[in-house]
Amino acid sequence: MPKSLLIISRQAPWSGPNAREALDIVLAGGAFDLPIGLLFLDDGVFQLTAKQDAKALQQKDLSANLQALPMFGVEDLFVCGDSAAERGLETTGLALEEVQVLSAHDITALIDRYDQVITL
Amino acid sequence: MKFAIALFSAAHAPSSRRALLFAQAALAGGHEIVRLFFYQDGVYNASAAVVTPQDEQDLPKQWRAFVTEHQLDGVVCIAAALRRGVLNAEEAQRYQREAVAVGAPWELSGLGQLHDAVQEADRLICFGGA
């Protein structure tokens, strides 16, 4: 039985390569068929904002990579509802439809369920 | 206990120094380090191009000495390293760059090595931020 890994992604999508690099860990794990979860927390929730215009910042669109998650077999996708609310972000109509909204209390239990955790 | 250690912060960050101290303490305590994995700005810790003022800790040099002495498996994420210009001779040749910053004992490899270490280790210990 492989060990499960939770990636907690806490960086906004356009504040440097961190968000993309967190996602790359998740996609690599999915490619190896490992049990991987991804939680968007703090400024990481901004990665889920729909209809971002990456071109205006001369960046590549990260949300295209997010859409690849289910294709890589990564279905355990979570967003912290409290982080979203603090930032005025509605949890309906996010860029990733499959994402489950969790409370801070749920997240405690979520982290406990995983063998290993990486926070980026 | 078998530890995997992941480092995400640059060589001048206090957390990189904590990572080295933790790794040294783990071995001193009779534990095993299955792999060191440098990712994000952590790749700078493997750079031989870092120059540290004489009265400060030369962390890349200390990491090199530590990994060499204990013959550890030190892996630097290749994608993160390329993005930050931390190339070994092979990659410098591949991309026709003059600057070579990484050599032995470090190996440039993919994220699969991180997942492999996660599977093999009892504990994954991450160091990042400040």
Side-chain angles (χ1 to χ4, degrees), chain A residues 57-71:
Chain A
L57 291 170
Q58 301 183 329
Q59 301 277 313
K60 275 199 298 185
D61 191 354
L62 191 67
S63 61
N65 300 48
L66 290 180
Q67 305 311 320
L69 285 165
M71 280 191 287

Side-chain angles (χ1 to χ4, degrees), chain A:
Chain A
M1 182 89 176
K3 290 194 181 80
S4 59
L5 175 65
L6 178 68
I7 308 296
I8 303 180
S9 186
R10 295 182 56 235
Q11 304 295 322
W14 315 121
S15 61
N18 283 12
R20 182 173 298 276
E21 288 178 330
L23 190 58
D24 284 345
I25 297 181
V26 178
L27 293 172
F32 288 109
D33 269 336
L34 295 167
I36 300 276
L38 173 59
L39 166 66
F40 297 93
L41 184 75
D42 297 335
D43 279 352
V45 299
F46 286 127
Q47 295 173 45
L48 298 172
T49 309
K51 295 177 187 163
Q52 298 186 41
D53 184 4
K55 278 201 186 124
L57 291 170
Q58 301 183 329
Q59 301 277 313
K60 275 199 298 185
D61 191 354
L62 191 67
S63 61
N65 300 48
L66 290 180
Q67 305 311 320
L69 285 165
M71 280 191 287
F72 278 73
V74 182
E75 285 157 359
D76 296 327
L77 303 165
F78 311 98
V79 60
C80 174
D82 298 324
S83 297
E86 282 164 10
R87 288 160 182 79
L89 190 65
E90 300 274 352
T91 51
T92 51
L94 294 173
L96 197 59
E97 281 177 19
E98 297 84 350
V99 79
Q100 296 175 50
V101 183
L102 301 182
S103 69
H105 183 261
D106 296 332
I107 288 169
T108 310
L110 178 77
I111 291 171
D112 208 35
R113 280 216 306 276
Y114 284 84
D115 295 315
Q116 313 273 26
V117 179
I118 295 177
T119 304
L120 287 172

